[in-house]
Amino acid sequence: MEDKRIKQFVFEQQLKAEYWDWEEDKLKLFEHWEENKLRIFEEIYQRLKTLESEKVKLECLAIIIHYLDKNDLNEFIFPHIHLYGKYTDKRTLARIAKVLGIKEQYIEIPKNGNKYFEENQLAYLTHAQQPDKYQYPTHEVETFGTFDYSNFILINTKKFEKQSATVKRKRTDESLDLINQQILKGELFLEDILADDDLFLLYSNHKLQFKQAFDSYAERLAFKNLKDLTTGKYKLTVMYFQGKSSLGKSYLARTIAQKVREYAEENKFKSRIYSASSSNPFDDYYGEDIILLDDIRPDSLRKADWLKLLDPINTSRMSARFTNKQVVPRLILITNTQLPEQFFNIFKDEALDQYIRRINFCTILSEKQLGKGYEGGVYYQLSQTKRLFSPKVRNISAYEKEEINFDLEAIFSTDNQEGFTEKLLTQYLLPRIYPKTEHDFDFLKPKIITKES
């Protein structure tokens, strides 16, 4: 069988002595390849030079060691050599393999007249067309003066950037189904995608598909939460914060939201916080269990949507700009400078009781007063909504009055924010949001039965 005759070739080989047919003293160079890199390159160069003749020269040699490549498990691959070589005329594959001291099957040659073989193989030395791989600097490529590798990369930069973008998009497209599955399982959220370059590229090219996946996840989560809510596994809790600007009601609300989330995660619940905007508040809601409505205006939602939000056992959907959504959280936090009675007073044609009775707790922040002066601190008062024994009357207009059957009743107050937060969480919020039931101890039953028997 006639040996293949070739002009150009590439090979890849690990820096392990078992793969090279070299003299013993030369093989020891691999043991400390970082120190001996240039000597290894020189050995390969001189071996390939032995195939030169008066008419055939080593026209191009480019060689590099890849030491930061990773596999699909994100594990480092053993350091290995990549080499591109080209003679001015053909040499047999067998002779090239023999002088290199490697087996023929490790040498790759152009197939089917591939006119881009040289360009692609040279680019691969530094991963110029592979954006998801480590980008090696051009100065790490040794050419022994046969080729200006840095200039090659420079003149092809725009082309490689375009090819790199195409490769990146193709590979991320292949991941789309997997990403959708992660979204539907609640393993991947919008903030994760925006923080990751590759995921963001995928998201930017498939926004509609991502939105459909997030909407589907939120819809299923709402269904499960509504089932838990109606069967008494938790109680929707609405917490209102009132105080004038600069007293720290937004900070307090965010602190409580974060502590509830931490508690949930410690107890194996999935928990996320949704901060709504003033305009179209629920456009970007995707099933978060904690909702923060910070300084929201009462007219940001329609009166019917307020009632749906505060009483989600009503299975109607909330209004949103693109798709109406069912919102079933565990905790709703509302901050405003007005008390609830004033806040909801804009809905003149709806009984105020409909809104007030759905506010479970209200924290009122006020300045500490010393005589007639400001002492420089803040009082925190927790109140809860109670049905009045005797209704009070409010004037709707000069000719119309309304009975109010619910009002706030103070529970406790303090000027210690940390103490207030801890007591609010442990005694009032968490027992409603994550109540302890006998089912929490089901895992002990097999052990108890075994012990008793």
Side-chain angles (χ1 to χ4, degrees):
M1 185 175 179
E2 188 178 352
D3 284 335
K4 289 183 180 178
R5 295 177 60 81
I6 57 174
K7 289 178 64 175
Q8 53 180 332
F9 61 94
V10 295
F11 80 83
E12 171 190 345
Q13 190 58 275
Q14 290 186 356
L15 294 172
K16 292 182 179 180
E18 60 203 81
Y19 297 127
W20 301 79
D21 185 14
W22 285 9
E23 297 83 359
E24 191 64 32
D25 60 322
K26 301 291 177 57
L27 291 175
K28 289 183 179 180
L29 296 175
F30 297 145
E31 295 176 8
H32 303 285
W33 68 266
E34 297 95 331
E35 302 170 13
N36 299 317
K37 183 170 71 170
L38 293 180
R39 292 178 64 187
I40 295 170
F41 288 174
E42 179 71 27
E43 176 68 19
I44 293 172
Y45 174 59
Q46 293 301 333
R47 285 170 174 264
L48 290 173
K49 289 281 285 182
T50 62
L51 295 182
E52 289 187 329
S53 66
E54 285 189 22
K55 295 182 179 180
V56 180
K57 303 297 181 184
L58 183 59
E59 181 180 339
C60 177
L61 175 69
I63 184 170
I64 190 173
I65 293 177
H66 283 187
Y67 52 92
L68 290 174
D69 290 3
K70 292 185 177 182
N71 60 21
D72 292 338
L73 299 177
N74 205 36
E75 301 166 334
F76 283 109
I77 298 172
F78 197 85
H80 50 283
I81 279 180
H82 280 276
L83 177 147
Y84 171 81
K86 182 180 180 181
Y87 286 99
T88 56
D89 204 352
K90 293 180 178 181
R91 285 288 182 253
T92 66
L93 177 59
R95 290 182 66 192
I96 294 174
K98 185 175 181 180
V99 297
L100 286 172
I102 62 175
K103 295 180 179 179
E104 287 186 36
Q105 61 260 37
Y106 295 128
I107 298 177
E108 183 180 347
I109 62 177
K111 296 178 181 178
N112 302 322
N114 184 355
K115 63 180 180 179
Y116 297 109
F117 180 83
E118 180 175 359
E119 179 181 289
N120 291 339
Q121 296 300 330
L122 285 169
Y124 189 80
L125 297 179
T126 54
H127 294 150
Q129 298 168 318
Q130 288 75 31
D132 56 334
K133 295 180 180 289
Y134 179 77
Q135 302 295 293
Y136 291 93
T138 57
H139 66 77
E140 292 197 17
V141 177
E142 179 59 64
T143 64
F144 293 97
T146 62
F147 179 69
D148 190 341
Y149 187 81
S150 295
N151 188 58
F152 163 77
I153 293 294
L154 182 63
I155 63 178
N156 288 287
T157 296
K158 289 186 178 179
K159 180 196 294 186
F160 290 158
E161 286 177 351
K162 185 176 180 180
Q163 292 170 338
S164 178
T166 301
V167 169
K168 195 168 188 177
R169 180 167 180 171
K170 182 179 178 181
R171 289 184 177 175
T172 52
D173 285 353
E174 292 171 355
S175 305
L176 188 58
D177 288 342
L178 175 62
I179 300 303
N180 280 341
Q181 290 178 28
Q182 290 179 304
I183 292 173
L184 294 174
K185 290 178 182 179
E187 298 172 352
L188 190 67
F189 300 102
L190 183 59
E191 56 266 30
D192 303 317
I193 291 168
L194 297 179
D196 185 280
D197 290 342
D198 292 333
L199 291 177
F200 178 72
L201 177 65
L202 188 63
Y203 171 73
S204 65
N205 290 313
H206 302 277
K207 275 192 175 182
L208 180 59
Q209 193 165 344
F210 271 79
K211 188 178 188 309
Q212 289 172 341
F214 282 125
D215 284 339
S216 297
Y217 169 74
E219 188 173 11
R220 184 162 189 258
L221 193 60
F223 170 79
K224 294 171 69 176
N225 287 348
L226 187 58
K227 185 177 179 181
D228 288 346
L229 185 61
T230 54
T231 55
K233 290 187 176 180
Y234 75 91
K235 295 179 181 178
L236 170 68
T237 302
V238 181
M239 180 80 221
Y240 194 100
F241 298 83
Q242 185 273 329
K244 71 178 189 179
S245 299
S246 78
L247 290 184
K249 58 185 181 296
S250 297
Y251 173 80
L252 180 60
R254 286 194 296 270
T255 299
I256 289 171
Q258 188 59 41
K259 287 186 176 294
V260 170
R261 179 180 181 177
E262 291 170 1
Y263 176 88
E265 292 175 346
E266 288 170 4
N267 288 275
K268 311 302 181 184
F269 289 94
K270 288 182 180 179
S271 181
R272 294 170 59 240
I273 301 169
Y274 178 71
S275 295
S277 60
S278 293
S279 59
N280 303 308
F282 289 97
D283 278 2
D284 298 318
Y285 176 80
Y286 294 116
E288 291 84 351
D289 60 313
I290 302 171
I291 295 177
L292 176 59
L293 305 174
D294 189 21
D295 278 327
I296 194 168
R297 302 187 310 271
D299 59 0
S300 295
L301 290 174
R302 299 183 307 177
K303 62 180 181 180
D305 285 331
W306 275 113
L307 294 175
K308 294 173 191 175
L309 174 65
L310 303 180
D311 185 15
I313 292 181
N314 180 337
T315 57
S316 301
R317 293 173 175 265
M318 296 279 296
S319 301
R321 186 170 35 168
F322 302 113
T323 305
N324 290 347
K325 300 183 179 184
Q326 190 160 11
V327 180
V328 191
R330 288 177 180 264
L331 176 63
I332 300 172
L333 305 169
I334 305 170
T335 73
N336 199 266
T337 56
Q338 296 178 313
L339 286 166
E341 186 173 326
Q342 299 165 324
F343 182 84
F344 290 110
N345 194 40
I346 69 165
F347 304 124
K348 300 293 185 182
D349 56 346
E350 188 73 50
L352 190 60
D353 276 348
Q354 290 282 62
Y355 302 97
I356 301 301
R357 69 184 180 86
R358 288 173 165 85
I359 305 294
N360 302 109
F361 301 101
C362 179
T363 294
I364 300 174
L365 289 76
S366 58
E367 296 173 339
K368 291 173 64 175
Q369 300 292 329
L370 183 63
K372 294 183 179 181
Y374 172 48
E375 190 177 337
V378 177
Y379 271 122
Y380 304 91
Q381 176 182 290
L382 180 67
S383 300
Q384 64 183 120
T385 301
K386 290 283 190 177
R387 177 181 284 274
L388 299 172
F389 290 109
S390 299
K392 63 181 184 179
V393 178
R394 71 162 181 154
N395 294 322
I396 298 177
S397 67
Y399 308 100
E400 190 176 2
K401 299 181 184 298
E402 179 186 10
E403 284 191 352
I404 306 297
N405 294 288
F406 294 87
D407 202 358
L408 298 174
E409 180 180 274
I411 304 175
F412 75 92
S413 63
T414 178
D415 61 354
N416 184 317
Q417 186 192 83
E418 185 176 342
F420 175 84
T421 302
E422 183 178 351
K423 187 172 182 179
L424 171 63
L425 287 168
T426 58
Q427 295 187 27
Y428 298 96
L429 295 188
L430 293 178
R432 290 175 56 91
I433 305 169
Y434 300 104
K436 297 293 183 183
T437 69
E438 62 178 353
H439 297 296
D440 293 324
F441 304 99
D442 281 350
F443 71 97
L444 288 175
K445 289 181 180 178
K447 298 180 182 179
I448 294 170
I449 293 170
T450 302
K451 188 175 181 180
E452 289 177 347
S453 60

